Amino acid sequence: VEALEPASVLNDHGIPERVMLSYLQGEIEGETAVKNLPAAILLIVWFLMMNLSHELPPTIQSIEKAIDFDITENANFAFSSPLYMGHKNFMDVNTFADWYSWMNLGFSAIYFPSTHAVSEGANFSIGTPTFLEASTYLMHNRKIGGVQLSQQRLFSSECSNPIVANALELTCLDFRGLDLRLK
């Protein structure tokens, strides 16, 4: 049996019609896909630009960070006498008494102010906030809805590495139930 070279088979017999049509159909589909690619990229870029111009993500992120910072740093409890300095924040709440103290002295003081803030130890008052002032948070964010609090709990669960847990006599816990993101 004589070995056939591809060039000699092509010159002597040609290409079958179905093979040629299948190849051409694939090339036409590929060309169409490449021609549609710039329009698809333009649509994605247009959507991105419209989203950035309407949603203003940097502004929203800075407001969320300001609220988070204010609650973390300024909603304090466990005040020292004469009630000037709170030494704990919401991360230090461990008992019902701590929670009540934080809600009463820390969170409600910054979210529901009854007087304007003045310097520590000042013997004067500059009045009570008006309704418009009391309905804003951090001087310019309008309070629209209520405050949602959720509880953090740890439950016993299976360890991801039971060999290490048994060797070190560890108990594995699963974290469920707390979502600190703004809604």
Side-chain angles (χ1 to χ4, degrees):
V1 175
E2 188 177 323
L4 296 174
E5 292 292 322
S8 66
V9 172
L10 182 62
N11 290 333
D12 294 343
H13 303 289
I15 299 173
E17 183 179 354
R18 64 180 172 78
V19 173
M20 185 66 181
L21 290 177
S22 173
Y23 173 77
L24 288 175
Q25 184 65 30
E27 288 294 313
I28 290 170
E29 289 174 0
E31 181 184 9
T32 304
V34 169
K35 284 182 179 177
N36 289 334
L37 188 61
I41 292 173
L42 181 65
L43 181 66
I44 292 169
V45 169
W46 183 259
F47 173 77
L48 177 67
M49 298 303 289
M50 292 300 291
N51 190 18
L52 289 176
S53 68
H54 289 312
E55 295 295 324
L56 304 173
T59 304
I60 292 171
Q61 183 184 22
S62 65
I63 291 171
E64 288 176 354
K65 285 187 178 278
I67 291 170
D68 182 49
F69 179 83
D70 189 51
I71 292 173
T72 303
E73 297 297 323
N74 296 329
N76 298 330
F77 71 102
F79 285 86
S80 61
S81 184
L83 296 178
Y84 295 148
M85 177 69 183
H87 297 283
K88 295 182 178 182
N89 64 16
F90 75 93
M91 300 292 277
D92 299 316
V93 172
N94 295 314
T95 64
F96 293 116
D98 287 348
W99 183 84
Y100 180 78
S101 179
W102 178 75
M103 284 298 295
N104 189 31
L105 298 174
F107 183 74
S108 64
I110 65 168
Y111 197 75
F112 307 109
S114 58
T115 61
H116 287 289
V118 293
S119 178
E120 298 166 343
N123 294 329
F124 62 90
S125 173
I126 56 174
T128 59
T130 64
F131 176 76
L132 183 60
E133 292 170 337
S135 63
T136 59
Y137 182 66
L138 294 179
M139 304 293 200
H140 61 275
N141 298 310
R142 171 94 43 196
K143 296 177 195 172
I144 295 175
V147 176
Q148 179 182 357
L149 300 173
S150 57
Q151 184 179 19
Q152 173 182 332
R153 301 184 78 186
L154 295 174
F155 298 94
S156 295
S157 67
E158 289 187 31
C159 295
S160 59
N161 192 341
I163 297 169
V164 172
N166 290 335
L168 298 176
E169 299 178 3
L170 297 175
T171 303
C172 296
L173 301 172
D174 184 25
F175 176 73
R176 289 181 251 161
L178 180 64
D179 186 5
L180 291 177
R181 292 174 291 162
L182 294 174
K183 302 287 186 221

